Structures are given as C-alpha cells and as structure tokens.
C-alpha cells in the first residue's frame, strides 16, 4: 500500500499533502490487493466479484478479482478503467482514465494483456488479448492494440498502434503479432 501512496505522490503534482487518502485509485487498488484478490485465490465463490463490483460503483474503476497488480500502481482520474481477469500489471505502472486491459472473446485461458514494469497507459488506450507489453513502455492516448506484442523501451501511438520511438530514437514500425495461442 505504501508503494501505491508513493506512486500517487510521485505521479500527480496536484497531490500535495494527505490528499492521497482521497484517491479512488488507492481505494480500488487496496481493496483489490488485500481483499478481493486474496479471496479469489482462495476460490471463495461470489464475494470477490461482489467486492469488485461495489468498488466499481464507488470508484468507477473495475478490477477483476483475478487480475494481478504489481506494487506502485497508480490510476489517474480512474473513471472507466477496466482490468480483466487474467491481466497482469507490473510494478510502477500508470493507467489513465477510460483505458482497458481487456479480452477479445476469442481466447481461452490467458485472455488479457500482461504489462511489464514502468509502463504508462494513456487516456482511452485499449489493449486487447493475451499480449505482452515490455518494460519502460509508453502507450499514447486513444491507442488501440489488439493481439500484437509491444517490445520494451518504446512509445506506441495510434489506432492501430505503431511504434514511434524505440530506445530513445524516432522510428516508424508496425507492432509484432502476438504468438498464436
């Protein structure tokens, strides 16, 4: 929880003092991390999903109880954020409002994205399918990525998403298809 509080203070210049206690991002993440996800892992029926739906109602942030969230996670202006059941989010990641880590409805088992460490996902970005996003990636606002992996150390923008920076240099590259599962 303290890593999440540090993430709020580090990433939101509007947070000056104890204001972090008011952030829906912190409420949704803490309840997920310490209540709904542990109950889900214990195979407790009904209650993990009920808790996540109550948090969605209260915060506008929907995190499925099965999702794995790393430390230092921050959702800025969380309304409309959706994180699916088999999604995995690394450490020190940021998501902006209306962004989704969703499924396509065409996969069985692992259906949602795996996000590396130090990833920024911009406003209204949509990442769908069992894709892998590497470390130190920036995904621009309104970027759409479906069934395409994203390598580490790059910036992706557009619909469909294209790599525009890689290892600090400008490029113009298509994303690589995810392995067929």
């Amino acid at each position: 929880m303290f890593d999440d509080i540090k993430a709020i203070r580090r990433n939101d210049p509007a947070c000056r003092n104890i204001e972090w206690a008011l952030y829906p991002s912190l409420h949704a993440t803490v309840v997920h991390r310490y209540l709904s996800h542990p109950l889900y892992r214990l195979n407790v029926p009904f209650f993990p999903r009920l808790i996540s739906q109550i948090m969605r109602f209260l915060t506008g942030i929907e995190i499925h109880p099965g999702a794995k969230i790393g430390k230092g996670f921050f959702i800025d202006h969380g309304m409309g954020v959706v994180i699916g059941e088999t999604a995995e989010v690394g450490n020190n990641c940021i998501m902006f409002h209306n962004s989704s880590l969703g499924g396509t409805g065409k996969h069985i088992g692992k259906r949602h994205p795996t996000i590396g460490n130090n990833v920024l996902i911009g406003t209204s970005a949509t990442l769908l399918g069992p894709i892998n996003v590497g470390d130190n990636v920036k995904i621009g606002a309104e970027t759409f990525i479906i069934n395409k992996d994203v390598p580490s150390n790059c910036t992706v923008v557009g619909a469909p998403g294209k790599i525009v920076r890689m290892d600090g240099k400008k490029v113009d590259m298509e994303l690589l298809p995810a392995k067929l599962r």
Side-chain angles (χ1 to χ4, degrees), residues 154-176:
C154 70
T155 301
V156 179
V157 299
K162 290 178 87 172
I163 300 171
V164 295
R165 289 191 82 77
M166 185 164 229
D167 297 320
K169 297 177 185 163
K170 287 184 181 180
V171 295
D172 184 6
M173 295 174 54
E174 297 292 324
L175 290 173
L176 304 172

Side-chain angles (χ1 to χ4, degrees), residues 2 17 50 81 91 97 99-100 124 136 139 164 178:
F2 294 110
N17 298 303
L50 175 65
V81 167
N91 297 328
H97 57 283
S99 56
S100 296
S124 297
N136 309 308
I139 298 173
V164 295

Side-chain angles (χ1 to χ4, degrees), residues 8-177:
I8 292 169
R9 296 200 45 132
R10 178 176 59 246
N11 293 300
D12 191 347
C15 181
R16 294 182 186 92
N17 298 303
I18 196 162
E19 293 165 347
W20 54 262
L22 300 174
Y23 276 70
S25 166
L26 182 63
H27 303 155
T29 303
V30 167
V31 169
H32 172 78
R33 187 170 282 137
Y34 299 107
L35 190 58
S36 66
H37 185 67
L39 289 173
Y40 177 88
R41 290 186 49 141
L42 291 170
N43 292 315
V44 172
F46 184 70
F47 289 106
R49 191 73 168 144
L50 175 65
I51 293 164
S52 74
Q53 291 303 299
I54 290 169
M55 292 311 296
R56 181 181 78 139
F57 176 78
L58 294 174
T59 67
I61 299 167
E62 182 174 350
I63 306 173
H64 190 284
K68 297 175 184 169
I69 307 292
K71 64 182 183 176
F73 183 56
F74 175 54
I75 302 171
D76 200 3
H77 303 288
M79 188 60 71
V81 167
V82 177
I83 302 174
E85 178 181 22
T86 62
E88 299 175 44
V89 180
N91 297 328
N92 303 311
C93 291
I94 303 168
M95 289 181 74
F96 282 86
H97 57 283
N98 205 40
S99 56
S100 296
L101 302 179
T104 64
K106 297 183 181 199
H107 298 93
I108 296 171
K110 177 71 170 140
R111 305 180 313 278
H112 302 94
T114 298
I115 308 299
N117 298 319
N118 307 308
V119 174
L120 182 142
I121 300 171
T123 301
S124 297
T126 303
L127 287 70
L128 300 178
I131 63 175
N132 292 303
V133 175
D135 296 334
N136 309 308
V137 171
K138 293 179 183 173
I139 298 173
E142 298 188 9
T143 295
F144 183 79
I145 303 170
I146 182 169
N147 294 326
K148 303 258 181 152
D149 288 338
V150 179
S152 293
N153 306 309
C154 70
T155 301
V156 179
V157 299
K162 290 178 87 172
I163 300 171
V164 295
R165 289 191 82 77
M166 185 164 229
D167 297 320
K169 297 177 185 163
K170 287 184 181 180
V171 295
D172 184 6
M173 295 174 54
E174 297 292 324
L175 290 173
L176 304 172

